[in-house]
Amino acid sequence: MHYHDAQIAAIYELANPLAQDAHFYRSLAGQQSCSVLDLGCGTGTLCCALAERGHRVTGVDPAAAMLAIARSKPHAERVEWVESSAQTYRSQQRFDLIVMTGHAFQVLLTDADASAALETMHLHLKQQGRAAFETRNPCMDWVGEWRAKSRMLPGGEIIETLNITSEDGEFISFQTSYRLSDGIVTTNSTLRFPSREHVEALITRSGLLVRDVFGDWNAGPFEGERSREMIFIAEIAK
């Protein structure tokens, strides 16, 4: 996705309102004030929701256009916004909770990038802290589900259409078209769909320990042939 483009960032904001995944991550933060690092925070919807609840939040994203929208939201003044990739972010701060949401882990297309992001989590996690992120279960037929998929975005003025352009092992590439009142905007994306075993191996290699793997946003158990999500909860290996 071309999230450095202001128009694409604005469409992303429209297409991704606060949803069930955000409620799950808010529940991980709990009711008591804690420090939260959101890697790949996008337009800051979750960050601002956490800040509203009194948490101390740092939102990190590589796209200035996304952060510009984030900074315009209610409660944004309570959040520290940092323009950086998850792989390269560094701070002296240590956090109670580190999250990577919106399937952002799947845009890390190599083991090197995924490991670098996990290393960032390890370096910035408090000793008793938790890291959490999700990736789609590769056992699901995502190509079949996404082929020529269309939907009307909230507001009723933009039609989003997905077209698969290639499928190669762990990787699915697709083109997303947005039909606006004054024309069509098109982006191209590739996502990686690693197995549970491979993600767990990367987590372990980074010095973290897998604590839980959930299969849905109600914290149900992961079932390999049925669960759409693989939601990993990790902590520092003792």
Side-chain angles (χ1 to χ4, degrees):
M1 283 291 194
H2 308 144
Y3 292 135
H4 295 275
D5 180 277
Q7 186 178 35
I8 296 298
I11 293 172
Y12 174 92
E13 165 69 5
L14 185 64
N16 293 276
L18 199 67
Q20 195 176 12
D21 59 338
H23 299 309
F24 172 85
Y25 286 111
R26 284 195 305 188
S27 72
L28 289 182
Q31 298 298 320
Q32 299 297 318
S33 176
C34 72
S35 55
V36 184
L37 172 62
D38 185 349
L39 295 171
C41 68
T43 55
T45 300
L46 177 60
C47 289
C48 292
L50 290 167
E52 182 181 11
R53 291 189 167 195
H55 298 297
R56 305 177 303 281
V57 185
T58 297
V60 175
D61 200 272
M66 301 284 265
L67 293 176
I69 294 174
R71 290 188 175 101
S72 71
K73 294 185 172 184
H75 313 291
E77 73 282 355
R78 304 182 192 177
V79 180
E80 178 191 19
W81 303 105
V82 180
E83 185 179 337
S84 173
S85 71
Q87 300 95 303
T88 59
Y89 172 75
R90 293 294 181 267
S91 170
Q92 295 302 310
Q93 296 186 71
R94 297 297 178 264
F95 297 87
D96 298 300
L97 176 65
I98 300 176
V99 300
M100 177 179 279
T101 72
H103 302 104
F105 189 80
Q106 291 186 253
V107 307
L108 304 172
L109 301 182
T110 66
D111 280 358
D113 277 340
S115 294
L118 291 166
E119 177 66 13
T120 296
M121 295 182 189
H122 182 224
L123 286 173
H124 294 89
L125 203 58
K126 288 184 178 179
Q127 194 62 39
Q128 302 302 320
R130 291 179 294 172
F133 65 93
E134 85 284 338
T135 180
R136 296 176 182 89
N137 182 2
C139 292
M140 299 293 100
D141 181 15
W142 297 107
V143 169
E145 182 174 326
W146 289 351
R147 184 175 286 116
K149 178 181 178 181
S150 291
R151 64 167 177 157
M152 181 74 74
L153 298 187
E157 296 182 359
I158 301 175
I159 299 175
E160 176 192 75
T161 301
L162 228 63
N163 285 294
I164 303 298
T165 54
S166 72
E167 180 185 10
D168 183 13
E170 292 183 326
F171 303 94
I172 298 175
S173 298
F174 54 93
Q175 183 180 81
T176 309
S177 299
Y178 300 97
R179 183 177 295 277
L180 314 176
S181 60
D182 58 351
I184 297 176
V185 176
T186 301
T187 67
N188 294 285
S189 306
T190 298
L191 297 178
R192 186 183 185 188
F193 293 75
S195 68
R196 171 183 177 173
E197 292 75 18
H198 192 75
V199 175
E200 289 185 339
L202 293 174
I203 291 172
T204 300
R205 197 182 307 162
S206 74
L208 296 171
L209 177 70
V210 177
R211 176 176 172 179
D212 287 301
V213 182
F214 298 122
D216 59 49
W217 299 117
N218 295 315
F222 175 73
E223 299 179 25
E225 299 303 318
R226 298 179 57 188
S227 299
R228 292 172 62 82
E229 304 287 349
M230 301 189 297
I231 307 164
F232 295 90
I233 313 296
E235 57 191 16
I236 294 177
K238 303 297 189 287

